[in-house]
């Protein structure tokens, strides 16, 4: 199969599992930007979008992300799963990235992204761990390239990723696609930047233990997902979010690649959105787009909602 071929048919997901829009050729041409007042509300909305998508298509191929931003999203999904509101039993997951150069095994090393995923999500929901995939950054040095290629094949064999969850790093990276990553890049080993070292090393017991390499899906790999869902919260992301969403498309900020995707949703809290120029437009669109009707914070009082 041609790796660059992308499916143009998608299912528009409506909450409650009703696919009233099944098999329509995608009509969305612009990104949806949703700004919630608080981080907690943004995290909850993100979890709901994921749960609704799984409920609409149980054999869902879900791309997952790590980072502090995602911790509460996973906590919400765990709650929903325990309450019987979302079933992970047939979900197949693919994580974005993994460090290269950590000691021991992915399962046992507390700094690994495999450990993060088990700890925050997989250990607490009814997902079959055999269906969870994280790039094999623990492969021996001379097998890393083959492991990266194998990861691409696994995604392809699964029929591609239905929705890829993304965070954004201070360097503008999605996954670990640091500045200058080609928009056609695939899963590979990369060297991390100083900005990323400063961002992530405080999470390590000894900051100097943070590896300077990682295996990450490429920007091209992310763009192949049928839907993208990016979450960013807190003031520290405000500048990079504005550059990523409203700035020119550039490989210096890999998150600008979202502008090239035709089914991307960005969820922000007010702080992360604070530097956006066109906030009012995004709020108006969110308030009036029927696709988001069930996600409105309060019941509709009139047919034309005013953006807050
Ligand atoms: C790491 C991950 C990214 C993530 C970023 C943001 O670098 N590789 O996928 O988006 O962290 O991290 P945080 O959510 O902690 O700000």
């Amino acid at each position: 199969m041609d790796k660059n071929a992308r499916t143009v048919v998608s299912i528009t997901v409506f909450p409650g599992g009703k696919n009233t829009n099944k098999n329509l050729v995608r009509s969305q041409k612009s990104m949806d930007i949703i700004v919630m007042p608080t981080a907690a509300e943004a995290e909850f909305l993100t979890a709901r979008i994921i749960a609704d998508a799984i409920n609409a298509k149980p054999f869902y191929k879900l791309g997952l992300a790590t980072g502090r931003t995602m911790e509460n999203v996973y906590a919400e999904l765990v709650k929903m799963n325990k309450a019987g509101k979302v079933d992970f039993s047939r979900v197949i997951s693919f994580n974005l990235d993994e460090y290269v150069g950590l000691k021991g095994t992915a399962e046992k090393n507390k700094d690994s992204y495999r450990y993060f995923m088990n700890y925050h999500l997989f250990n607490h929901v009814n997902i079959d761990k055999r269906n969870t995939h994280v790039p094999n950054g623990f492969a021996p040095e001379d097998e890393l390239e083959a492991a990266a290629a194998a990861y691409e094949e696994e995604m392809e064999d699964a029929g591609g990723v239905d929705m890829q969850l993304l965070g954004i790093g201070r360097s503008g990276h999605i996954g670990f696609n640091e500045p200058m990553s080609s928009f056609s890049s695939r899963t590979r080993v990369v060297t991390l930047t100083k900005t990323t070292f400063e961002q992530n090393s405080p999470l390590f017991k000894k900051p100097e233990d943070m590896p300077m390499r990682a295996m990450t899906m490429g920007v091209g790999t992310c763009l192949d997902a049928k839907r993208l869902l990016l979450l960013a919260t807190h003031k520290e992301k405000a500048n990079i979010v504005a550059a990523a969403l409203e700035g020119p498309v550039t490989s210096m900020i890999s998150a600008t690649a979202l502008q090239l995707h035709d089914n991307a949703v960005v969820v922000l809290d007010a702080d992360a959105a604070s530097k956006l120029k066109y906030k009012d437009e995004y709020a108006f669109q969110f308030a009036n787009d029927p696709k988001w009707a069930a996600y409105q914070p309060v019941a509709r009082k009139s047919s034309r909602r005013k953006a807050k």
Side-chain angles (χ1 to χ4, degrees):
M1 209 182 114
D2 176 2
K3 283 211 161 115
N4 296 318
R6 290 187 40 202
T7 320
V8 290
V9 177
S10 80
I11 296 170
T12 302
V13 177
F14 285 84
K18 277 186 204 136
N19 287 323
T20 48
N21 221 4
K22 231 178 215 173
N23 297 330
L24 286 185
V25 172
R26 270 192 217 145
S27 57
Q28 181 177 340
K29 288 286 183 289
S30 60
M31 200 189 282
D32 283 332
I33 299 176
I34 302 173
V35 182
M36 300 304 280
T38 64
E41 285 161 283
E43 290 151 2
F44 181 70
L45 181 76
T46 304
R48 247 190 91 189
I49 294 172
I50 295 170
D52 289 340
I54 294 171
N55 287 336
K57 185 184 174 191
F59 287 96
Y60 207 69
K61 266 80 69 173
L62 183 60
L64 293 169
T66 51
R68 286 156 280 210
T69 313
M70 300 304 158
E71 291 179 10
N72 289 333
V73 174
Y74 296 149
E76 292 294 349
L77 285 171
V78 169
K79 271 194 235 160
M80 290 178 195
N81 182 246
K82 291 204 189 303
K85 291 183 181 159
V86 61
D87 175 13
F88 283 87
S89 63
R90 285 169 289 178
V91 170
I92 300 177
S93 74
F94 290 95
N95 260 82
L96 278 170
D97 46 15
E98 177 62 280
Y99 286 110
V100 168
L102 291 174
K103 300 212 169 68
T105 63
E107 273 73 21
K108 293 214 171 114
N109 190 313
K110 291 191 172 165
D111 293 319
S112 78
Y113 282 166
R114 160 56 74 180
Y115 191 94
F116 177 103
M117 290 310 303
N118 287 347
Y119 183 84
H120 288 285
L121 185 67
F122 301 152
N123 286 347
H124 314 289
V125 296
N126 67 335
I127 199 164
D128 183 340
K129 277 223 187 108
R130 289 168 302 183
N131 291 334
T132 67
H133 305 83
V134 179
N136 186 8
F138 283 74
E141 186 65 34
D142 58 352
E143 289 172 27
L144 286 168
E145 211 178 301
Y151 200 64
E152 287 281 334
E153 263 172 46
E154 278 178 298
M155 281 182 273
E156 202 177 307
D157 290 349
V161 170
D162 290 307
M163 180 161 68
Q164 179 65 53
L165 178 62
L166 298 167
I168 181 169
R170 279 188 228 155
S171 70
H173 67 212
I174 49 173
F176 268 133
N177 291 286
E178 300 289 36
M180 300 303 286
S181 293
S182 160
F183 280 7
S184 60
S185 53
R186 315 297 310 183
T187 304
R188 70 209 184 287
V189 173
V190 296
T191 304
L192 303 174
T193 56
K194 189 165 167 270
T195 310
T196 298
F197 177 75
E198 284 162 5
Q199 177 193 283
N200 286 2
S201 60
L203 299 173
F204 286 71
K205 213 168 169 190
K206 287 196 227 149
E208 63 273 24
D209 283 352
M210 177 181 147
M212 286 314 298
R213 290 192 304 161
M215 188 183 291
T216 180
M217 284 187 196
V219 180
T221 319
C222 294
L223 288 176
D224 274 0
K226 295 175 185 86
R227 195 178 185 200
L228 299 179
L229 174 60
L230 185 141
L231 171 66
T233 50
H234 304 303
K235 263 242 139 58
E236 59 155 12
K237 299 283 170 71
N239 284 326
I240 198 66
V241 161
L245 304 184
E246 294 179 339
V249 173
T250 167
S251 64
M252 289 304 291
I253 300 174
S254 63
T256 61
L258 262 83
Q259 297 178 33
L260 303 174
H261 200 280
D262 63 2
N263 196 354
V265 181
V266 177
V267 181
L268 305 168
D269 69 350
D271 283 341
S274 58
K275 297 277 169 69
L276 290 173
K277 264 196 204 155
Y278 302 104
K279 263 182 293 187
D280 293 351
E281 288 294 346
Y282 310 140
F284 191 84
Q285 276 177 26
F286 174 61
N288 288 293
D289 186 337
K291 183 175 56 193
W292 296 113
Y295 294 85
Q296 299 302 323
V298 285
R300 277 168 172 266
K301 289 214 168 88
S302 69
S303 59
R304 287 226 127 197
R305 284 175 59 90
K306 272 199 196 137
K308 269 194 206 155

